Amino acid sequence: MSGRALSRYWRRRRFNPVPALLAAALWAGAAAPGAAQALRGLQSGDTPLEINADEGIEWRRDEQVYIARGNALAVRGEISVYADEMKAHYRKIEGSGSEVDKIDVAGAVRIVSPTETVHGDRGAYDVINGVFVLVGDNLRLIGENDTITARDSLEYWERKKIAVARGNAKAVRADKRIEADVLTAYFEPGADDGLELKRIEAFGNVRIATSQEYAQGDHGMYYVARELATLDGDVKITREDNQLNGEYAEVNLKTGVSRLLAGPPGSAKRGKVRGLLTPKPKPKPKPKPKPKREPAPGDDS
């Protein structure tokens, strides 16, 4: 099949690898709407998808798969997907031809939008269930102001409208950082038929750091619009040499004000709030200089 024929074929198919871009929104509330708009743009069937490959495009009819090899590039609108190899699996539908149900990308995978670039080794998009998973040794998303990394996977679940970073997940913006075993971002319909990031949930070994303090707990939630993070479960807040321990904390990343409580508001589970405040040592006074010894008369020493 020629490249032009394949391009016409893909115009009738629903190819949507860009959901991994929404992992950027795990930290950047401002960046999330742009990535969401890009997602909606790929979902539109009006814009054609163009695929190019240096080594050609292979059609395996019996296996029901198309394979593009050698610097494969898929472009729709402002979104580009690069990989060494792309495989599009399709299934036959009685009375209506066929449809693509899974797309695999492998080798130096890169997903590029005007505001973010996602890197991974390989990925798969389940078209039927709307789930995209990107894996590899150096998973990262680089945005205009943010960097997201994960050890195990970056995922987007289209129907649930959630993005997930798994395995030592970390999101960094300027001097602010959030880390956890798993970070999950939740989206809701917003203006202009787009998606808006509402909150981020952190599970396991949660750590939030700014230039002035460090907070940790078992579970956390970040409310994007309010720039407010909550932590619960064995919470510790450290600032310089001072440490506060409790069961629940509120950390305002906008104002820099933190509150530590005995338990979540309205919860029957209460614990003690403990603090260890270390006074700064007073500076030692400088020793007075010793007076110079005046030589005695006749003393030549």
mmCIF file of all heavy atoms in Angstrom, residues 211-248:
data_model
loop_
_atom_site.group_PDB
_atom_site.id
_atom_site.type_symbol
_atom_site.label_atom_id
_atom_site.label_comp_id
_atom_site.label_asym_id
_atom_site.label_seq_id
_atom_site.Cartn_x
_atom_site.Cartn_y
_atom_site.Cartn_z
ATOM 1 N N SER A 211 11.301 25.571 48.400
ATOM 2 C CA SER A 211 12.609 26.114 48.771
ATOM 3 C C SER A 211 12.742 26.296 50.278
ATOM 4 O O SER A 211 13.857 26.420 50.799
ATOM 5 C CB SER A 211 12.834 27.451 48.069
ATOM 6 O OG SER A 211 11.829 28.384 48.455
ATOM 7 N N GLN A 212 11.595 26.285 51.015
ATOM 8 C CA GLN A 212 11.640 26.571 52.445
ATOM 9 C C GLN A 212 11.288 25.398 53.331
ATOM 10 O O GLN A 212 11.692 25.356 54.494
ATOM 11 C CB GLN A 212 10.707 27.742 52.768
ATOM 12 C CG GLN A 212 11.120 29.047 52.117
ATOM 13 C CD GLN A 212 10.201 30.190 52.507
ATOM 14 O OE1 GLN A 212 9.086 29.971 52.973
ATOM 15 N NE2 GLN A 212 10.676 31.404 52.337
ATOM 16 N N GLU A 213 10.508 24.435 52.812
ATOM 17 C CA GLU A 213 10.095 23.339 53.685
ATOM 18 C C GLU A 213 9.924 22.044 52.916
ATOM 19 O O GLU A 213 9.864 22.031 51.676
ATOM 20 C CB GLU A 213 8.795 23.697 54.413
ATOM 21 C CG GLU A 213 7.590 23.849 53.518
ATOM 22 C CD GLU A 213 6.367 24.300 54.302
ATOM 23 O OE1 GLU A 213 6.483 24.594 55.489
ATOM 24 O OE2 GLU A 213 5.291 24.360 53.700
ATOM 25 N N TYR A 214 9.821 20.968 53.694
ATOM 26 C CA TYR A 214 9.700 19.614 53.156
ATOM 27 C C TYR A 214 8.601 18.914 53.939
ATOM 28 O O TYR A 214 8.617 18.903 55.170
ATOM 29 C CB TYR A 214 11.028 18.885 53.309
ATOM 30 C CG TYR A 214 11.033 17.454 52.845
ATOM 31 C CD1 TYR A 214 11.272 17.125 51.525
ATOM 32 C CD2 TYR A 214 10.805 16.416 53.753
ATOM 33 C CE1 TYR A 214 11.297 15.810 51.094
ATOM 34 C CE2 TYR A 214 10.824 15.094 53.342
ATOM 35 C CZ TYR A 214 11.072 14.793 52.007
ATOM 36 O OH TYR A 214 11.082 13.487 51.592
ATOM 37 N N ALA A 215 7.618 18.345 53.233
ATOM 38 C CA ALA A 215 6.507 17.656 53.894
ATOM 39 C C ALA A 215 6.378 16.254 53.312
ATOM 40 O O ALA A 215 6.597 16.040 52.111
ATOM 41 C CB ALA A 215 5.211 18.430 53.708
ATOM 42 N N GLN A 216 5.994 15.290 54.153
ATOM 43 C CA GLN A 216 5.821 13.929 53.682
ATOM 44 C C GLN A 216 4.660 13.262 54.409
ATOM 45 O O GLN A 216 4.284 13.647 55.516
ATOM 46 C CB GLN A 216 7.100 13.118 53.875
ATOM 47 C CG GLN A 216 7.522 12.924 55.325
ATOM 48 C CD GLN A 216 8.856 12.226 55.435
ATOM 49 O OE1 GLN A 216 9.903 12.807 55.149
ATOM 50 N NE2 GLN A 216 8.834 10.965 55.851
ATOM 51 N N GLY A 217 4.076 12.248 53.741
ATOM 52 C CA GLY A 217 2.961 11.515 54.315
ATOM 53 C C GLY A 217 2.683 10.268 53.499
ATOM 54 O O GLY A 217 3.364 9.977 52.506
ATOM 55 N N ASP A 218 1.642 9.534 53.888
ATOM 56 C CA ASP A 218 1.286 8.301 53.179
ATOM 57 C C ASP A 218 0.418 8.579 51.958
ATOM 58 O O ASP A 218 0.454 7.828 50.980
ATOM 59 C CB ASP A 218 0.535 7.354 54.119
ATOM 60 C CG ASP A 218 1.403 6.900 55.285
ATOM 61 O OD1 ASP A 218 2.639 6.876 55.127
ATOM 62 O OD2 ASP A 218 0.841 6.593 56.354
ATOM 63 N N HIS A 219 -0.366 9.641 52.016
ATOM 64 C CA HIS A 219 -1.331 9.948 50.953
ATOM 65 C C HIS A 219 -1.465 11.452 50.843
ATOM 66 O O HIS A 219 -1.367 12.177 51.841
ATOM 67 C CB HIS A 219 -2.682 9.298 51.272
ATOM 68 C CG HIS A 219 -3.787 9.698 50.344
ATOM 69 N ND1 HIS A 219 -4.682 10.729 50.642
ATOM 70 C CD2 HIS A 219 -4.148 9.231 49.119
ATOM 71 C CE1 HIS A 219 -5.533 10.849 49.647
ATOM 72 N NE2 HIS A 219 -5.238 9.955 48.713
ATOM 73 N N GLY A 220 -1.664 11.935 49.617
ATOM 74 C CA GLY A 220 -1.799 13.374 49.433
ATOM 75 C C GLY A 220 -2.787 13.723 48.336
ATOM 76 O O GLY A 220 -3.134 12.895 47.491
ATOM 77 N N MET A 221 -3.260 14.976 48.378
ATOM 78 C CA MET A 221 -4.159 15.497 47.349
ATOM 79 C C MET A 221 -3.767 16.942 47.072
ATOM 80 O O MET A 221 -3.545 17.726 48.002
ATOM 81 C CB MET A 221 -5.613 15.428 47.808
ATOM 82 C CG MET A 221 -6.618 15.777 46.716
ATOM 83 S SD MET A 221 -6.811 14.448 45.501
ATOM 84 C CE MET A 221 -7.820 13.290 46.444
ATOM 85 N N TYR A 222 -3.670 17.295 45.795
ATOM 86 C CA TYR A 222 -3.335 18.658 45.406
ATOM 87 C C TYR A 222 -4.499 19.236 44.611
ATOM 88 O O TYR A 222 -4.901 18.680 43.594
ATOM 89 C CB TYR A 222 -2.057 18.682 44.575
ATOM 90 C CG TYR A 222 -1.709 20.049 44.031
ATOM 91 C CD1 TYR A 222 -1.453 21.106 44.901
ATOM 92 C CD2 TYR A 222 -1.631 20.281 42.671
ATOM 93 C CE1 TYR A 222 -1.128 22.361 44.412
ATOM 94 C CE2 TYR A 222 -1.305 21.534 42.170
ATOM 95 C CZ TYR A 222 -1.056 22.569 43.045
ATOM 96 O OH TYR A 222 -0.741 23.813 42.556
ATOM 97 N N TYR A 223 -5.064 20.353 45.103
ATOM 98 C CA TYR A 223 -6.185 21.025 44.447
ATOM 99 C C TYR A 223 -5.627 22.168 43.605
ATOM 100 O O TYR A 223 -5.101 23.153 44.140
ATOM 101 C CB TYR A 223 -7.177 21.521 45.488
ATOM 102 C CG TYR A 223 -7.754 20.396 46.326
ATOM 103 C CD1 TYR A 223 -7.151 20.022 47.538
ATOM 104 C CD2 TYR A 223 -8.861 19.681 45.896
ATOM 105 C CE1 TYR A 223 -7.658 18.973 48.291
ATOM 106 C CE2 TYR A 223 -9.370 18.632 46.656
ATOM 107 C CZ TYR A 223 -8.766 18.285 47.848
ATOM 108 O OH TYR A 223 -9.270 17.239 48.593
ATOM 109 N N VAL A 224 -5.731 22.019 42.301
ATOM 110 C CA VAL A 224 -5.023 22.888 41.374
ATOM 111 C C VAL A 224 -5.449 24.339 41.502
ATOM 112 O O VAL A 224 -4.611 25.239 41.621
ATOM 113 C CB VAL A 224 -5.218 22.388 39.930
ATOM 114 C CG1 VAL A 224 -4.593 23.354 38.934
ATOM 115 C CG2 VAL A 224 -4.617 20.996 39.772
ATOM 116 N N ALA A 225 -6.752 24.606 41.468
ATOM 117 C CA ALA A 225 -7.223 25.985 41.471
ATOM 118 C C ALA A 225 -6.811 26.727 42.737
ATOM 119 O O ALA A 225 -6.477 27.913 42.701
ATOM 120 C CB ALA A 225 -8.740 26.026 41.294
ATOM 121 N N ARG A 226 -6.819 26.025 43.860
ATOM 122 C CA ARG A 226 -6.476 26.652 45.147
ATOM 123 C C ARG A 226 -4.987 26.581 45.462
ATOM 124 O O ARG A 226 -4.536 27.197 46.423
ATOM 125 C CB ARG A 226 -7.268 25.973 46.260
ATOM 126 C CG ARG A 226 -8.780 26.111 46.120
ATOM 127 C CD ARG A 226 -9.522 25.084 46.961
ATOM 128 N NE ARG A 226 -9.196 25.188 48.381
ATOM 129 C CZ ARG A 226 -9.528 24.266 49.288
ATOM 130 N NH1 ARG A 226 -10.161 23.163 48.890
ATOM 131 N NH2 ARG A 226 -9.223 24.434 50.550
ATOM 132 N N GLU A 227 -4.235 25.811 44.689
ATOM 133 C CA GLU A 227 -2.806 25.595 44.955
ATOM 134 C C GLU A 227 -2.600 25.112 46.387
ATOM 135 O O GLU A 227 -1.663 25.515 47.082
ATOM 136 C CB GLU A 227 -1.994 26.864 44.687
ATOM 137 C CG GLU A 227 -1.995 27.289 43.237
ATOM 138 C CD GLU A 227 -1.059 28.447 42.966
ATOM 139 O OE1 GLU A 227 0.069 28.437 43.483
ATOM 140 O OE2 GLU A 227 -1.453 29.377 42.241
ATOM 141 N N LEU A 228 -3.482 24.212 46.815
ATOM 142 C CA LEU A 228 -3.463 23.687 48.176
ATOM 143 C C LEU A 228 -3.246 22.183 48.149
ATOM 144 O O LEU A 228 -3.923 21.465 47.415
ATOM 145 C CB LEU A 228 -4.773 24.007 48.893
ATOM 146 C CG LEU A 228 -4.905 23.456 50.318
ATOM 147 C CD1 LEU A 228 -3.974 24.216 51.264
ATOM 148 C CD2 LEU A 228 -6.352 23.569 50.793
ATOM 149 N N ALA A 229 -2.309 21.707 48.951
ATOM 150 C CA ALA A 229 -2.045 20.279 49.074
ATOM 151 C C ALA A 229 -2.410 19.812 50.471
ATOM 152 O O ALA A 229 -2.165 20.521 51.454
ATOM 153 C CB ALA A 229 -0.581 19.972 48.784
ATOM 154 N N THR A 230 -3.017 18.631 50.569
ATOM 155 C CA THR A 230 -3.286 18.017 51.865
ATOM 156 C C THR A 230 -2.515 16.702 51.953
ATOM 157 O O THR A 230 -2.326 16.008 50.948
ATOM 158 C CB THR A 230 -4.784 17.743 52.056
ATOM 159 O OG1 THR A 230 -5.241 16.809 51.063
ATOM 160 C CG2 THR A 230 -5.584 19.039 51.937
ATOM 161 N N LEU A 231 -2.079 16.383 53.159
ATOM 162 C CA LEU A 231 -1.354 15.145 53.419
ATOM 163 C C LEU A 231 -1.990 14.447 54.611
ATOM 164 O O LEU A 231 -2.419 15.118 55.564
ATOM 165 C CB LEU A 231 0.112 15.425 53.729
ATOM 166 C CG LEU A 231 1.017 15.884 52.582
ATOM 167 C CD1 LEU A 231 2.338 16.401 53.129
ATOM 168 C CD2 LEU A 231 1.257 14.740 51.609
ATOM 169 N N ASP A 232 -2.053 13.131 54.581
ATOM 170 C CA ASP A 232 -2.543 12.386 55.736
ATOM 171 C C ASP A 232 -1.748 11.095 55.883
ATOM 172 O O ASP A 232 -1.206 10.570 54.926
ATOM 173 C CB ASP A 232 -4.050 12.100 55.619
ATOM 174 C CG ASP A 232 -4.397 11.274 54.399
ATOM 175 O OD1 ASP A 232 -4.287 10.047 54.475
ATOM 176 O OD2 ASP A 232 -4.770 11.858 53.364
ATOM 177 N N GLY A 233 -1.697 10.632 57.132
ATOM 178 C CA GLY A 233 -0.973 9.403 57.439
ATOM 179 C C GLY A 233 0.485 9.632 57.745
ATOM 180 O O GLY A 233 1.285 9.803 56.827
ATOM 181 N N ASP A 234 0.829 9.656 59.030
ATOM 182 C CA ASP A 234 2.221 9.796 59.464
ATOM 183 C C ASP A 234 2.882 11.007 58.790
ATOM 184 O O ASP A 234 3.912 10.889 58.123
ATOM 185 C CB ASP A 234 3.002 8.525 59.150
ATOM 186 C CG ASP A 234 4.345 8.473 59.877
ATOM 187 O OD1 ASP A 234 4.488 9.195 60.888
ATOM 188 O OD2 ASP A 234 5.239 7.739 59.426
ATOM 189 N N VAL A 235 2.277 12.162 58.987
ATOM 190 C CA VAL A 235 2.720 13.386 58.314
ATOM 191 C C VAL A 235 3.883 14.013 59.078
ATOM 192 O O VAL A 235 3.871 14.093 60.305
ATOM 193 C CB VAL A 235 1.561 14.393 58.201
ATOM 194 C CG1 VAL A 235 2.040 15.697 57.574
ATOM 195 C CG2 VAL A 235 0.422 13.785 57.377
ATOM 196 N N LYS A 236 4.848 14.479 58.331
ATOM 197 C CA LYS A 236 5.992 15.208 58.902
ATOM 198 C C LYS A 236 6.241 16.450 58.049
ATOM 199 O O LYS A 236 6.263 16.360 56.818
ATOM 200 C CB LYS A 236 7.249 14.349 58.937
ATOM 201 C CG LYS A 236 7.160 13.115 59.812
ATOM 202 C CD LYS A 236 8.454 12.339 59.775
ATOM 203 C CE LYS A 236 8.415 11.118 60.696
ATOM 204 N NZ LYS A 236 7.409 10.142 60.276
ATOM 205 N N ILE A 237 6.410 17.581 58.707
ATOM 206 C CA ILE A 237 6.760 18.826 58.028
ATOM 207 C C ILE A 237 8.066 19.332 58.619
ATOM 208 O O ILE A 237 8.182 19.491 59.834
ATOM 209 C CB ILE A 237 5.663 19.889 58.179
ATOM 210 C CG1 ILE A 237 4.348 19.399 57.554
ATOM 211 C CG2 ILE A 237 6.085 21.201 57.533
ATOM 212 C CD1 ILE A 237 3.209 20.376 57.694
ATOM 213 N N THR A 238 9.030 19.562 57.783
ATOM 214 C CA THR A 238 10.352 20.003 58.230
ATOM 215 C C THR A 238 10.684 21.341 57.602
ATOM 216 O O THR A 238 10.539 21.510 56.382
ATOM 217 C CB THR A 238 11.426 18.974 57.843
ATOM 218 O OG1 THR A 238 11.071 17.686 58.373
ATOM 219 C CG2 THR A 238 12.784 19.387 58.381
ATOM 220 N N ARG A 239 11.118 22.261 58.441
ATOM 221 C CA ARG A 239 11.605 23.556 57.966
ATOM 222 C C ARG A 239 12.869 23.881 58.741
ATOM 223 O O ARG A 239 12.837 24.000 59.963
ATOM 224 C CB ARG A 239 10.554 24.647 58.146
ATOM 225 C CG ARG A 239 11.045 26.029 57.719
ATOM 226 C CD ARG A 239 9.956 27.062 57.797
ATOM 227 N NE ARG A 239 8.912 26.838 56.803
ATOM 228 C CZ ARG A 239 7.936 27.710 56.542
ATOM 229 N NH1 ARG A 239 7.888 28.858 57.205
ATOM 230 N NH2 ARG A 239 7.024 27.442 55.633
ATOM 231 N N GLU A 240 13.964 23.980 58.019
ATOM 232 C CA GLU A 240 15.280 24.139 58.630
ATOM 233 C C GLU A 240 15.495 23.000 59.635
ATOM 234 O O GLU A 240 15.375 21.843 59.298
ATOM 235 C CB GLU A 240 15.404 25.528 59.261
ATOM 236 C CG GLU A 240 15.356 26.655 58.236
ATOM 237 C CD GLU A 240 15.522 28.026 58.847
ATOM 238 O OE1 GLU A 240 15.341 28.167 60.078
ATOM 239 O OE2 GLU A 240 15.832 28.964 58.090
ATOM 240 N N ASP A 241 15.759 23.317 60.913
ATOM 241 C CA ASP A 241 15.997 22.268 61.912
ATOM 242 C C ASP A 241 14.744 21.950 62.730
ATOM 243 O O ASP A 241 14.823 21.200 63.711
ATOM 244 C CB ASP A 241 17.117 22.696 62.865
ATOM 245 C CG ASP A 241 18.456 22.804 62.157
ATOM 246 O OD1 ASP A 241 18.668 22.046 61.190
ATOM 247 O OD2 ASP A 241 19.286 23.648 62.561
ATOM 248 N N ASN A 242 13.594 22.501 62.339
ATOM 249 C CA ASN A 242 12.350 22.288 63.082
ATOM 250 C C ASN A 242 11.487 21.249 62.381
ATOM 251 O O ASN A 242 11.414 21.219 61.143
ATOM 252 C CB ASN A 242 11.582 23.606 63.206
ATOM 253 C CG ASN A 242 12.424 24.687 63.867
ATOM 254 O OD1 ASN A 242 13.145 24.419 64.823
ATOM 255 N ND2 ASN A 242 12.338 25.905 63.353
ATOM 256 N N GLN A 243 10.808 20.404 63.173
ATOM 257 C CA GLN A 243 9.963 19.374 62.597
ATOM 258 C C GLN A 243 8.658 19.263 63.371
ATOM 259 O O GLN A 243 8.638 19.275 64.601
ATOM 260 C CB GLN A 243 10.675 18.018 62.588
ATOM 261 C CG GLN A 243 9.819 16.896 61.980
ATOM 262 C CD GLN A 243 10.610 15.622 61.773
ATOM 263 O OE1 GLN A 243 11.607 15.616 61.072
ATOM 264 N NE2 GLN A 243 10.154 14.541 62.393
ATOM 265 N N LEU A 244 7.537 19.140 62.610
ATOM 266 C CA LEU A 244 6.217 18.920 63.182
ATOM 267 C C LEU A 244 5.709 17.573 62.703
ATOM 268 O O LEU A 244 5.820 17.242 61.519
ATOM 269 C CB LEU A 244 5.252 20.029 62.750
ATOM 270 C CG LEU A 244 5.634 21.465 63.150
ATOM 271 C CD1 LEU A 244 4.622 22.456 62.571
ATOM 272 C CD2 LEU A 244 5.714 21.599 64.651
ATOM 273 N N ASN A 245 5.107 16.777 63.614
ATOM 274 C CA ASN A 245 4.573 15.457 63.294
ATOM 275 C C ASN A 245 3.092 15.404 63.645
ATOM 276 O O ASN A 245 2.666 15.924 64.682
ATOM 277 C CB ASN A 245 5.305 14.366 64.082
ATOM 278 C CG ASN A 245 6.787 14.339 63.777
ATOM 279 O OD1 ASN A 245 7.229 14.840 62.752
ATOM 280 N ND2 ASN A 245 7.559 13.754 64.674
ATOM 281 N N GLY A 246 2.302 14.793 62.780
ATOM 282 C CA GLY A 246 0.873 14.647 63.033
ATOM 283 C C GLY A 246 0.247 13.682 62.050
ATOM 284 O O GLY A 246 0.945 12.924 61.371
ATOM 285 N N GLU A 247 -1.086 13.728 61.933
ATOM 286 C CA GLU A 247 -1.801 12.808 61.063
ATOM 287 C C GLU A 247 -2.377 13.487 59.819
ATOM 288 O O GLU A 247 -2.746 12.823 58.860
ATOM 289 C CB GLU A 247 -2.943 12.123 61.823
ATOM 290 C CG GLU A 247 -2.486 11.098 62.833
ATOM 291 C CD GLU A 247 -1.726 9.948 62.175
ATOM 292 O OE1 GLU A 247 -2.140 9.515 61.081
ATOM 293 O OE2 GLU A 247 -0.714 9.515 62.738
ATOM 294 N N TYR A 248 -2.431 14.815 59.826
ATOM 295 C CA TYR A 248 -3.044 15.518 58.687
ATOM 296 C C TYR A 248 -2.427 16.906 58.566
ATOM 297 O O TYR A 248 -2.175 17.576 59.581
ATOM 298 C CB TYR A 248 -4.559 15.649 58.906
ATOM 299 C CG TYR A 248 -5.280 16.400 57.805
ATOM 300 C CD1 TYR A 248 -5.679 15.753 56.638
ATOM 301 C CD2 TYR A 248 -5.569 17.756 57.946
ATOM 302 C CE1 TYR A 248 -6.337 16.448 55.636
ATOM 303 C CE2 TYR A 248 -6.236 18.450 56.944
ATOM 304 C CZ TYR A 248 -6.616 17.792 55.792
ATOM 305 O OH TYR A 248 -7.273 18.473 54.796
#
